[in-house]
Amino acid sequence: MTQTYKTTYRNALRDAMSEEIRRDEKVYLIGEEVAEYNGAYKCSQGMWEEFGDKRVIDSPITEYGFTGIAVGSAMKGLRPIVEFMSWDFSMQSCDHIINSAAKTHYMSGGKVSCPIVFRGQNAASGRVAAQHSQDFAGWYANIPGLKVLAPANAYDAKGLLKAAIRDNAPVIFLEHEKLYGMENEMPTDLDFTVEIGKANVIKEGTDISLIAYSYPVEVAKEVAKKLEKDGISAEVIDLRSISPLDETTILDSVKKTSRAVIIQEAWSYASVGDSIASLIQQKAFDYLDAPVLVESGAATPMPYAENLEKLALPQVDVIVDKIIKMVNK
Amino acid sequence: MQDTNIEQLKSNFSTDVLLEIYEKMLRFRRMSEKTAQMYQQGMIGGFCHLYTGQEAVLAGTFAGCKEGDDHITSYRCHAHALACGVSEKEVLAELTGRATGISKGKGGSMHMFAPEKGYWGGHGIVGAQVPLGTGIAFHHKYMNQDNICVTSYGDGAANQGQIFEAMNMASLWGLPVLYVVENNVYGMGTAAKRVCAGELFERGQAFDIKGEKVDGQDFFAVAEAVTRARKFILEEKRPYIIEMDTYRYRGHSMSDPAKYRSKEEVQAVKENRDPLMNMFDYLIDERGLTEEQLKELDKKVKANLQDAVDFATTSPLPDASELMTDILPR
């Protein structure tokens, strides 16, 4: 029997990084406050103590510079994990993520690879306003040459992060502050990984497919629970991997349920949700009984006030009402 | 002191080795000229940045480096590829967008790489190669390798903020990186003195990084400075900056008619400070070679270059199936 242990999303990330740093001398962690401070969100608790300055590196607050240095070291053969305190700060360094890390493999005819993981807190952690709350999934998923992952539970956080560190491509790893405390059972096996590019059907259903990634998976689960009371059976799909996207799992589900809702914190226009809606209409149009619904964050910079922030994010009751109308039409 | 070093260094080079170096400089020059011609004939697309006038910088830098050192530069990268051991065939085939190009025709003029030869490109975002090169030096330190990464950028890039960010960390962490500022006087159409405050070789002072300015048209001056800098970097475990005082003969790219400077200004450098002429004169005056010998060498370089042109222009275009390969590594 597989041995398991229970831990939080936050500590699962720490365990994933620690296990990979022990396994491979080329893996190191770099970022602001990751070492002596144990991480702004304590995702690297105890790592500096165990591994020291060489493997767990406090960087100056200089995202463009340290991202470029990490990317250069990856091209030469190291396997850095770069922590952004918040993905909003990656705007300072997205030139190196996109122009250097993502494109060089192609531009070099396959000669130069960049095995690197960029990870950190993404989207709305709560009451931190517009410059610390954006969901960047769609931005990075738009770029060929990057993989984009967004785990919604501790099990996937560990398994996907280990897979990302072992992957030879640059990987964008989007975490969520509201999930950091979530606990799950997971294998103790040091080679436990979750395959990149596979969505997870976390609840089967027959009437509608609820598709989400990261924290909105929790919203989708809540929506499904409420729909149950109204006699509507919802299937919940956790994408886990945004790029590559598991089209098969999405399409198989929609062909079965004939209805789909995508729930995301990101703004709708040019987003992951809109792309999935487009995918469904291109490849499963004939199976649809209703237009695909994309429930997104309000198209506004994130407000600070508690009531406004709540209105800006996907709301369970609003989604439930829309679905009841959709199904009963 | 440096002058004495230079004299000493000169005597360390045998005439045979100097001939090889002169041949290398000729190869940079002739390939650049040929590239201009092919561009004008419509055989090369897009942007194209040439290196004519700056040859001693590269030749001298490589003379001061050792096996295992790495090199990274901007989009003005064709001669750097040759210096690292890439052939004219591979460079010209890339420039003409052929399957046999160094980047399989997918990178083009600004993106050439030969990691197995220590050549890391070839970068089109002005200044981006500086943190990348600093990261390659980070690798050397991390893996305890006694090598440096020569990170080249121009006077135009010198004002990019990311360079200062990289220098801060290179100094903090004692990274073995040599920053080579190729000051060719103009960043595109803008004279360096119009946009750069202070001296470029002094830009590391705030980070406790030493620097110096060298005559980039003089092979020996460059070789001496780089040899000394390399030793300093590895012994002291500190980065170092060398500003090369150089000049580009052509416009910024092939589409630049260079109206921001006078013909006389360009002519004066060609007549008085040409790096090839400097070496040509030295080999005749100090090493007893004849003009005929050197012209013979030039002929050999040109013949080899013509072979490369033929190779490039008769090579197949990339197969359509190549469009969707090399996006993600295995």
Side-chain angles (χ1 to χ4, degrees):
Chain A
M1 209 183 81
T2 320
Q3 278 205 323
T4 63
Y5 73 113
K6 192 173 190 180
T7 197
T8 59
Y9 190 104
R10 171 185 284 115
N11 288 340
L13 295 170
R14 189 264 319 273
D15 293 349
M17 292 191 283
S18 296
E19 287 173 16
E20 294 308 298
I21 286 177
R22 281 183 212 116
R23 187 184 63 83
D24 182 348
E25 62 159 354
K26 292 185 170 168
V27 179
Y28 71 93
L29 171 66
I30 185 170
E32 292 153 4
E33 309 288 1
V34 298
E36 296 193 30
Y37 193 82
N38 291 302
Y41 290 99
K42 303 297 170 205
C43 292
S44 50
Q45 187 76 47
M47 286 178 66
W48 176 67
E49 242 178 1
E50 179 179 352
F51 301 111
D53 290 331
K54 182 179 175 184
R55 314 292 297 279
V56 181
I57 304 166
D58 273 331
S59 71
I61 303 172
T62 174
E63 287 87 1
Y64 199 2
F66 74 70
T67 303
I69 288 175
V71 168
S73 80
M75 288 173 174
K76 180 74 183 164
L78 300 183
R79 305 183 81 88
I81 306 163
V82 176
E83 176 174 311
F84 293 122
M85 201 181 288
S86 159
W87 269 97
D88 299 77
F89 306 164
S90 79
M91 293 294 90
Q92 298 275 347
S93 53
C94 63
D95 173 47
H96 279 302
I97 300 174
I98 296 169
N99 279 311
S100 303
K103 295 181 185 173
T104 303
H105 190 64
Y106 194 83
M107 295 195 303
S108 66
K111 286 203 175 93
V112 179
S113 302
C114 189
I116 188 168
V117 177
F118 305 102
R119 51 157 288 270
Q121 135 68 23
N122 177 63
S125 59
R127 306 298 307 279
V128 293
Q131 293 178 340
H132 291 71
S133 297
Q134 190 173 333
D135 175 5
F136 287 92
W139 281 48
Y140 289 111
N142 183 245
I143 310 296
L146 294 178
K147 294 184 179 178
V148 181
L149 309 178
N153 58 61
Y155 177 95
D156 287 339
K158 184 173 184 190
L160 282 174
L161 185 52
K162 283 169 71 77
I165 295 167
R166 295 179 185 198
D167 203 283
N168 288 326
V171 179
I172 304 290
F173 197 88
L174 306 170
E175 300 157 13
H176 204 297
E177 199 271 343
K178 288 176 186 165
L179 298 170
Y180 278 147
M182 181 194 255
E183 278 191 312
N184 289 119
E185 288 283 335
M186 60 198 76
T188 52
D189 179 6
L190 296 179
D191 280 324
F192 158 62
T193 56
V194 169
E195 190 183 346
I196 294 172
K198 291 275 181 266
N200 190 15
V201 180
I202 55 176
K203 177 187 169 298
E204 293 200 10
T206 52
D207 300 328
I208 187 159
S209 304
L210 307 180
I211 301 161
Y213 57 89
S214 192
Y215 180 72
V217 172
E218 288 298 296
V219 176
K221 279 156 70 177
E222 195 68 23
V223 168
K225 215 183 277 172
K226 292 208 166 181
L227 289 174
E228 202 113 4
K229 289 177 189 148
D230 284 286
I232 297 171
S233 160
E235 181 147 303
V236 179
I237 297 175
D238 174 1
L239 290 175
R240 300 198 285 197
S241 171
I242 292 159
S243 180
L245 184 70
D246 184 354
E247 295 189 4
T248 311
T249 297
I250 296 169
L251 294 172
D252 285 351
S253 174
V254 173
K255 286 174 186 174
K256 180 174 73 176
T257 64
S258 303
R259 297 178 191 87
V261 180
I262 301 116
I263 305 169
Q264 60 178 8
E265 286 187 36
W267 301 307
S268 175
Y269 188 66
S271 66
V272 173
D274 275 15
S275 290
I276 292 172
S278 161
L279 167 80
I280 293 170
Q281 78 84 18
Q282 287 178 62
K283 297 193 176 168
F285 184 78
D286 292 339
Y287 295 86
L288 287 176
D289 285 345
V292 178
L293 184 64
V294 182
E295 276 296 297
S296 306
T300 170
M302 186 61 75
Y304 166 71
E306 192 178 10
N307 63 327
L308 294 183
E309 184 182 49
K310 206 174 153 203
L311 289 172
L313 292 167
Q315 299 165 78
V316 172
D317 291 339
V318 172
I319 300 169
V320 168
D321 284 349
K322 286 186 184 177
I323 291 173
I324 289 171
K325 279 182 194 139
M326 185 202 280
V327 173
N328 294 333
K329 223 173 194 176
Chain B
M1 174 65 188
Q2 267 151 263
D3 288 345
T4 336
N5 284 347
I6 291 172
E7 285 314 310
Q8 220 161 32
L9 180 107
K10 277 182 183 171
S11 60
N12 291 345
F13 284 106
S14 70
T15 302
D16 283 350
V17 169
L18 284 181
L19 263 177
E20 281 171 26
I21 287 162
Y22 182 63
E23 181 179 346
K24 205 182 253 182
M25 288 165 73
L26 276 170
R27 286 174 58 207
F28 301 160
R29 172 73 55 95
R30 298 301 172 233
M31 187 176 72
S32 251
E33 291 168 347
K34 181 58 81 180
T35 301
Q37 224 177 59
M38 292 167 75
Y39 191 90
Q40 278 150 354
Q41 289 166 350
M43 296 157 82
I44 295 168
F47 301 127
C48 189
H49 311 85
L50 303 179
Y51 201 67
T52 35
Q54 303 178 215
E55 294 86 352
V57 173
L58 254 189
T61 299
F62 275 76
C65 286
K66 296 210 164 127
E67 183 84 24
D69 289 348
D70 288 293
H71 299 265
I72 189 166
T73 189
S74 69
Y75 41 80
R76 199 175 301 286
C77 66
H78 312 163
H80 278 76
L82 290 195
C84 287
V86 176
S87 69
E88 280 89 342
K89 284 182 180 175
E90 291 166 291
V91 172
L92 292 180
E94 188 60 33
L95 287 169
T96 49
R98 308 295 168 135
T100 52
I102 184 74
S103 302
K104 300 204 278 194
K106 295 178 175 185
S109 176
M110 298 182 282
H111 308 298
M112 300 184 183
F113 303 83
E116 72 288 357
K117 297 182 167 81
Y119 185 45
W120 298 92
H123 297 269
I125 306 297
V126 178
Q129 75 274 16
V130 178
L132 296 176
T134 308
I136 289 165
F138 178 97
H139 174 280
H140 290 313
K141 187 189 173 202
Y142 189 98
M143 301 302 285
N144 298 314
Q145 293 165 343
D146 271 337
N147 284 107
I148 66 168
C149 183
V150 179
T151 300
S152 304
Y153 58 100
D155 49 286
N159 296 317
Q160 287 279 25
Q162 60 177 315
I163 293 179
F164 304 107
E165 296 189 21
M167 282 181 178
N168 181 44
M169 285 176 274
S171 178
L172 276 174
W173 300 337
L175 303 182
V177 55
L178 173 60
Y179 297 111
V180 171
V181 197
E182 296 194 58
N183 185 347
N184 62 16
V185 190
Y186 297 93
M188 209 166 154
T190 301
K193 64 181 181 210
R194 289 176 56 212
V195 289
C196 298
E199 296 285 346
L200 299 183
F201 69 94
E202 289 174 345
R203 290 267 174 107
Q205 276 182 359
F207 310 109
D208 197 22
I209 301 176
K210 293 194 170 84
E212 66 184 281
K213 191 172 193 166
V214 169
D215 180 359
Q217 304 306 85
D218 178 351
F219 164 80
F220 294 108
V222 175
E224 189 280 326
V226 173
T227 306
R228 189 162 34 79
R230 187 182 187 281
K231 194 162 173 278
F232 171 87
I233 290 165
L234 291 175
E235 284 180 4
E236 304 294 323
K237 310 215 175 302
R238 303 288 304 151
Y240 197 80
I241 301 171
I242 300 179
E243 178 182 351
M244 305 288 186
D245 180 9
T246 185
Y247 198 83
R248 75 169 144 72
Y249 292 170
R250 308 287 306 209
H252 164 75
S253 68
M254 286 303 295
S255 58
D256 170 17
K259 286 186 176 160
Y260 42 83
R261 61 187 184 186
S262 67
K263 278 185 184 152
E264 291 71 28
E265 180 186 307
V266 183
Q267 203 50 37
V269 181
K270 284 184 178 174
E271 280 170 18
N272 304 313
R273 297 180 61 215
D274 183 72
L276 271 83
M277 187 190 70
N278 283 343
M279 184 58 96
F280 184 91
D281 290 348
Y282 175 81
L283 289 171
I284 289 172
D285 296 346
E286 307 292 331
R287 298 294 174 116
L289 297 177
T290 63
E291 271 194 54
E292 287 65 39
Q293 279 174 298
L294 298 183
K295 283 184 175 159
E296 210 46 48
L297 194 60
D298 201 0
K299 270 190 204 157
K300 186 183 122 190
V301 166
K302 283 178 175 164
N304 175 52
L305 185 61
Q306 191 51 51
D307 286 349
V309 175
D310 296 341
F311 171 82
T313 50
T314 55
S315 282
L317 297 175
D319 192 83
S321 65
E322 283 292 332
L323 176 67
M324 299 307 288
T325 62
D326 303 320
I327 298 168
L328 289 165
R330 284 199 197 99

